[in-house]
Amino acid sequence: MANRNARDWMWSEAVQMLARADRLHRQVFRPGASAHTTYWEPPIDLLETAGDVQIIAALPGVDPSGVQVFIDGDALVITGRRDPSPCMRRAVIHHMELPQGQFARRVPLPAGHYGRIDWQAEHGCLTVTLRKAGQNR
């Protein structure tokens, strides 16, 4: 039994490291980004039901009033900015993983036509719901 727990733990650690490497790769190697503009991409979940598509973006510490959400062609675009906490100016930073500055995330959407865009921010996440065109609710 101890062998299985060790294997599960190692697998979990490996998956977390791969996810972090993927996030870092997307942050650093962005085609078309200028050297003076820093962007980061928030992680997302993309869910589809019969009537709508839902995108959940992790945006800890982001003021929802500064977030823009729009459809551009066949993708949803989420942009905004995460500003450093005021206490960071006076603090010695020992470890920092949450990105700062401007962010932009382009999410390719499943094929289809979409009507209304609704979104809400809660618990550090932005939830965007796209109603499929022709669906009554």
Side-chain angles (χ1 to χ4, degrees), residues 24-41:
L24 290 170
H25 181 264
R26 283 185 285 141
Q27 289 172 13
V28 174
F29 300 106
R30 175 180 304 295
S34 75
H36 302 291
T37 305
T38 58
Y39 285 100
W40 57 277
E41 290 184 329

Side-chain angles (χ1 to χ4, degrees), residues 112-132:
H113 298 286
Y114 300 98
R116 197 174 77 219
I117 300 175
D118 293 318
W119 63 274
Q120 65 179 11
E122 186 175 45
H123 303 296
C125 288
L126 176 76
T127 302
V128 180
T129 303
L130 303 172
R131 186 79 177 135
K132 292 180 178 177

Side-chain angles (χ1 to χ4, degrees), residues 27-64:
Q27 289 172 13
V28 174
F29 300 106
R30 175 180 304 295
S34 75
H36 302 291
T37 305
T38 58
Y39 285 100
W40 57 277
E41 290 184 329
I44 59 114
D45 289 337
L46 176 65
L47 314 167
E48 182 176 10
T49 67
D52 48 36
V53 170
Q54 196 171 66
I55 296 95
I56 303 166
L59 297 174
V62 173
D63 180 1

Side-chain angles (χ1 to χ4, degrees), residues 7-129:
R7 185 173 52 240
D8 290 347
W9 174 79
M10 288 188 329
W11 179 250
S12 174
E13 289 291 312
V15 168
Q16 289 177 18
M17 288 174 62
L18 287 170
R20 184 161 189 236
D22 181 55
R23 281 194 308 272
L24 290 170
H25 181 264
R26 283 185 285 141
Q27 289 172 13
V28 174
F29 300 106
R30 175 180 304 295
S34 75
H36 302 291
T37 305
T38 58
Y39 285 100
W40 57 277
E41 290 184 329
I44 59 114
D45 289 337
L46 176 65
L47 314 167
E48 182 176 10
T49 67
D52 48 36
V53 170
Q54 196 171 66
I55 296 95
I56 303 166
L59 297 174
V62 173
D63 180 1
S65 68
V67 174
Q68 296 82 44
V69 178
F70 57 93
I71 293 179
D72 181 26
D74 60 353
L76 178 80
V77 179
I78 303 169
T79 63
R81 178 175 187 79
R82 181 174 190 267
D83 292 318
S85 160
C87 71
M88 289 180 133
R89 293 186 193 109
R90 303 179 308 275
V92 174
I93 299 171
H94 292 277
H95 187 84
M96 190 165 75
E97 290 186 8
L98 295 174
Q100 308 294 321
Q102 294 214 355
F103 64 86
R105 181 72 192 253
R106 185 177 186 83
V107 182
L109 296 170
H113 298 286
Y114 300 98
R116 197 174 77 219
I117 300 175
D118 293 318
W119 63 274
Q120 65 179 11
E122 186 175 45
H123 303 296
C125 288
L126 176 76
T127 302
V128 180
T129 303

